[in-house]
Amino acid sequence: MDVEKVERKEVEVDDDGRVRTGTVWTATTHAITAVIGSGVLALPWSVAQMGWVLGPIALIGCAYITYYTAVLLSDCYRTPDPVHGKRNHTYMDVVRSCLGPRDVVVCGLAQYCILWGTMVGYTITTATSIMAVVRTDCRHHRGHDAACASSGTMYMVVFGLVEIVLSQFPSLEKLTLISVVAAVMSCTYSFVGLFLSAAKLVSNHGARGTLLGVKIGAAAGVSASTKTWHSLQALGNIAFAYTYSMLLIEIQDTVKSPPSENVTMKRASFYGIGVTTIFYVSLGCIGYAAFGNAAPGNVLTGFDEPFWLVDVANVAVVIHLVGAYQVYAQPIFACYEKWLGARWPNSAFFHHEYAVRLPGGGGSRAARFTMCKLVVRTAFVAATTVVSLMLPFFNAVLGLLGAIAFWPLTVYFPVTMYIAQAKVVAPGSRKWVALQALNAGALVVSLLAAVGSVADMVQRLGHVTIFQTQL
């Protein structure tokens, strides 16, 4: 009898018929995996564009805005009551419940474009990290001035094949182990980049950099327009580096209760964004102090020795992106599979489940899938890989997508939905004015960052070779 009670407790079913096992710690690992990406390695360059005054302000300011809006969004997981209301399983479900169907289209376009764009960017970044390992080893054995160029085409294809296999996992809840490993890897390469930067700073016997960042003039080789575009792009990079609101609801939907899901998710957001901010501010500022205005776009490319440690960091980047790719991909899979299943409710292609027994489980363990998941997910990942191969400059496009998505997904929708759900923010009140000021400020940041990203993208268009990715 006691055994039966324990088993019943372990498989407790929620009010919507699902079994959730997520905790504050699993949600935190998902959040860290989603927020801390390879973009952390570009933060010294971003700080260099703005200098010692605006760089740290941008890093801390974006962190606070991201956490504050995450708290608002956590209360919208259930509507109309944040504790006992109806569950919203996706970000778009929250928009539909709080604002109505007309806002869902805009939200969906912004959310899924940025999710898919990040997948493309991760594919390219993985290839460049592997290429960096090859180049570092080559220079170690042949000399630091040796020509060690290589192409990333094969690495992208291999990465795509790995993601096709991982894409067959049923949902985000089944990826907890991958997220844990990915979170550990993100900490690893962040620590290595921080350690190498700190070591260089000590060897320089003093901090480098200027109050306003990269200087304008013939001696510096930077024109006023380039300085402006790069500063705006750096602002967009920092803002996008903190963005994870479009995944928050999906992560919150994996959390069990009690305590209530919004309480758990607020704690997870605090821990996740807190760890992220520590890494971002430390690496951005120490990296800038070490390199000054000559900070490289990827801080790891500024080091050749110790080659093995640089290799460890780049391998950690690859492992992290393998897991982070799926954190971004699973919401897309869930969205179109739900629509297809509802569109053809009697089709075996979408609903009939196949099981393949796995070794080592005595026949009880099996991999379960539908033909829709097997075929469509494979085709989707393959198409993403092909686009990555065709557009090796897509990081600039990704910066543009990030600049466009920062305002609606991170600020506008969370703030507007909170106002609609809370019904305690009276128009014209101090809190209402503050929230609308936050909305307007974020819109200005997104527009300026978009302008800078477009200018950089136009410059890159003249130096692109399709199907050939170079460091």
Side-chain angles (χ1 to χ4, degrees):
M1 180 68 69
D2 292 338
V3 175
E4 291 178 1
K5 288 182 179 178
V6 172
E7 290 178 348
R8 214 176 280 130
K9 185 176 181 181
E10 290 178 349
V11 294
E12 219 170 292
V13 178
D14 283 332
D15 50 11
D16 62 346
R18 282 180 51 185
V19 177
R20 291 175 173 82
T21 58
T23 64
V24 64
W25 302 116
T26 61
T28 298
T29 58
H30 284 316
I32 293 175
T33 303
V35 180
I36 298 185
S38 56
V40 65
L41 302 176
L43 290 179
W45 178 88
S46 298
V47 175
Q49 309 312 306
M50 293 184 285
W52 282 118
V53 175
L54 296 178
I57 291 176
L59 287 168
I60 296 174
C62 287
Y64 178 77
I65 292 173
T66 301
Y67 172 68
Y68 181 72
T69 56
V71 169
L72 300 183
L73 186 58
S74 298
D75 284 337
C76 299
Y77 169 67
R78 286 181 178 266
T79 54
D81 181 79
V83 177
H84 303 292
K86 169 184 168 291
R87 292 178 184 270
N88 297 292
H89 303 292
T90 67
Y91 192 103
M92 286 198 297
D93 286 343
V94 178
V95 175
R96 184 180 291 106
S97 296
C98 294
L99 303 179
R102 289 183 298 180
D103 292 276
V104 173
V105 176
V106 176
C107 173
L109 288 175
Q111 182 184 10
Y112 291 110
C113 280
I114 198 62
L115 290 175
W116 178 76
T118 303
M119 292 165 62
V120 174
Y122 280 1
T123 303
I124 298 170
T125 304
T126 300
T128 56
S129 294
I130 299 175
M131 292 161 61
V133 172
V134 174
R135 187 185 68 176
T136 300
D137 292 350
C138 173
R139 287 182 174 178
H140 175 74
H141 293 97
R142 297 184 183 180
H144 297 307
D145 296 326
C148 299
S150 62
S151 174
T153 301
M154 180 183 68
Y155 306 131
M156 285 192 194
V157 172
V158 172
F159 179 76
L161 293 175
V162 172
E163 295 302 336
I164 285 175
V165 174
L166 294 180
S167 70
Q168 299 307 312
F169 279 86
S171 66
L172 191 59
E173 290 180 80
K174 306 302 181 182
L175 293 171
T176 298
L177 178 60
I178 294 177
S179 283
V180 170
V181 173
V184 171
M185 292 299 103
S186 67
C187 294
T188 299
Y189 65 70
S190 296
F191 271 123
V192 171
L194 181 60
F195 171 78
L196 293 174
S197 297
K200 182 175 177 61
L201 175 60
V202 172
S203 67
N204 291 340
H205 303 290
R208 298 179 179 178
T210 57
L211 291 178
L212 298 179
V214 175
K215 296 182 178 179
I216 301 172
V222 176
S223 64
S225 61
T226 300
K227 163 74 173 178
T228 301
W229 305 140
H230 283 181
S231 297
L232 295 177
Q233 185 184 1
L235 183 61
N237 288 346
I238 292 174
F240 177 62
Y242 282 103
T243 302
Y244 97 112
S245 294
M246 63 272 195
L247 291 170
L248 185 146
I249 295 299
E250 279 82 353
I251 294 174
Q252 191 169 346
D253 195 41
T254 68
V255 173
K256 64 181 180 181
S257 63
S260 61
E261 299 86 359
N262 62 332
V263 171
T264 300
M265 200 62 212
K266 287 175 185 178
R267 290 178 58 196
S269 295
F270 178 78
Y271 297 146
I273 296 174
V275 170
T276 299
T277 304
I278 292 172
F279 280 140
Y280 282 12
V281 174
S282 299
L283 184 55
C285 293
I286 293 178
Y288 179 46
F291 288 97
N293 294 335
N298 180 338
V299 69
L300 293 179
T301 63
F303 306 99
D304 286 329
E305 298 293 343
F307 81 99
W308 61 271
L309 188 58
V310 178
D311 285 353
V312 167
N314 280 301
V315 170
V317 171
V318 173
I319 297 174
H320 169 251
L321 295 186
V322 167
Y325 184 102
Q326 288 301 317
V327 173
Y328 279 81
Q330 289 292 333
I332 300 179
F333 297 154
C335 177
Y336 71 68
E337 286 169 3
K338 179 181 178 181
W339 181 83
L340 290 173
R343 180 69 176 81
W344 289 280
N346 300 318
S347 173
F349 182 79
F350 300 106
H351 298 282
H352 183 73
E353 193 174 73
Y354 299 87
V356 177
R357 291 184 179 180
L358 299 176
S364 61
R365 294 176 57 191
R368 301 181 182 279
F369 61 92
T370 63
M371 289 305 296
C372 172
K373 289 182 179 180
L374 182 63
V375 175
V376 182
R377 290 189 182 189
T378 299
F380 186 87
V381 175
T384 302
T385 305
V386 171
V387 172
S388 304
L389 290 167
M390 294 177 62
L391 304 175
F393 63 95
F394 199 80
N395 283 333
V397 180
L398 186 61
L400 174 61
L401 291 173
I404 294 173
F406 172 72
W407 173 67
L409 295 180
T410 302
V411 180
Y412 173 75
F413 280 119
V415 166
T416 306
M417 290 186 296
Y418 173 78
I419 292 175
Q421 169 150 313
K423 301 186 187 304
V424 296
V425 184
S429 66
R430 185 175 300 178
K431 188 171 185 178
W432 184 88
V433 171
L435 290 173
Q436 296 303 335
L438 175 60
N439 250 336
L443 175 59
V444 171
V445 169
S446 283
L447 291 176
L448 292 176
V451 171
S453 297
V454 168
D456 182 63
M457 185 174 64
V458 170
Q459 291 179 352
R460 289 173 179 267
L461 284 173
H463 309 283
V464 171
T465 301
I466 295 179
F467 293 111
Q468 184 175 358
T469 303
Q470 300 293 339
L471 283 175

